[in-house]
DNA sequence: GACCTGACGCCCC
DNA sequence: AGGGGCGCCAGGT
């Protein structure tokens, strides 16, 4: 995981990066949320922007990626417009027990989950 | 090939 | 304490 990927092909490393982002995203427990920065920090690859870029292509993934559990560091649903419908993201969050008010998660600190917590167990 | 933009976030004022 | 600037890396124009 800490090992940097040798350069191989650019396409391969891109797909690999996609896979890593999807993988971490799928680790977010139901009813919890994480942030672009936390995922970028955990992967130690690219930047928070690249996480958003990767998630933007999650429709290419065969398996369902719970992209609705990824928000910006303020708890705002900045990616909601990229879902099938503008309200789908908050609908999914609400259905998991996460309160959303005005496109923003209420009590973000209570729901925030950092991938690093996985290793602390 | 330069320039802008983005599902971001830190630093500075 | 709120707002703006800039770095980040890849794609689109």
């Amino acid at each position: 995981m800490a090992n940097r990927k040798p350069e191989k092909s650019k396409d391969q490393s891109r797909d690999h990066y996609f896979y890593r982002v999807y993988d971490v995203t799928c680790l977010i427990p139901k009813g919890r949320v994480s942030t672009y920065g936390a995922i970028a920090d955990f992967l130690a690859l690219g930047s928070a922007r690249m996480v958003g870029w990767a998630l933007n292509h999650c429709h290419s993934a065969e398996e369902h990626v719970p992209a609705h559990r990824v928000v910006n560091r303020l708890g705002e649903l900045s990616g909601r417009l990229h879902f099938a419908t503008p309200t789908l993201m908050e609908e999914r969050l609400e259905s998991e027990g996460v309160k959303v008010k005005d496109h923003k998660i209420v009590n973000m600190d209570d729901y925030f989950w950092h991938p690093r917590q996985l290793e602390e167990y």
Side-chain angles (χ1 to χ4, degrees):
Chain A
M1 190 175 289
N3 231 333
R4 203 62 62 230
K5 199 99 183 140
E7 41 221 294
K8 298 206 170 183
S9 158
K10 205 167 189 179
D11 289 335
Q12 274 189 345
S13 64
R14 184 198 61 185
D15 291 340
H16 179 74
Y17 182 74
F18 279 16
Y19 179 81
R20 298 296 300 278
V21 172
Y22 298 158
D23 195 30
V24 173
T25 303
C26 289
L27 292 178
I28 303 173
K30 184 180 177 183
R32 304 291 295 278
V33 298
S34 194
T35 67
Y36 305 98
I39 294 173
D41 179 45
F42 180 73
L43 293 178
L45 285 174
S47 61
R49 280 194 184 276
M50 289 188 65
V51 175
W53 166 66
L55 287 177
N56 188 20
H57 291 72
C58 69
H59 57 77
S60 306
E62 298 177 0
E63 110 186 69
H64 290 161
V65 180
H68 59 280
R69 296 183 192 144
V70 183
V71 297
N72 71 7
R73 88 168 182 93
L74 299 178
E76 296 167 341
L77 279 53
S78 49
R80 62 187 184 84
L81 297 178
H82 291 262
F83 283 78
T85 71
T87 56
L88 183 58
M89 187 173 184
E90 53 187 87
E91 284 172 9
R92 284 183 177 164
L93 287 173
E94 295 268 3
S95 74
E96 294 182 358
V98 179
K99 302 277 173 61
V100 176
K101 178 79 174 181
D102 204 18
H103 308 316
K104 186 174 178 180
I105 294 179
V106 181
N107 295 331
M108 167 71 173
D109 294 340
D110 292 341
Y111 299 106
F112 176 67
W113 179 87
H114 195 294
R116 188 67 69 187
Q117 292 178 2
L118 210 58
E119 298 179 346
E120 289 179 359
Y121 278 114

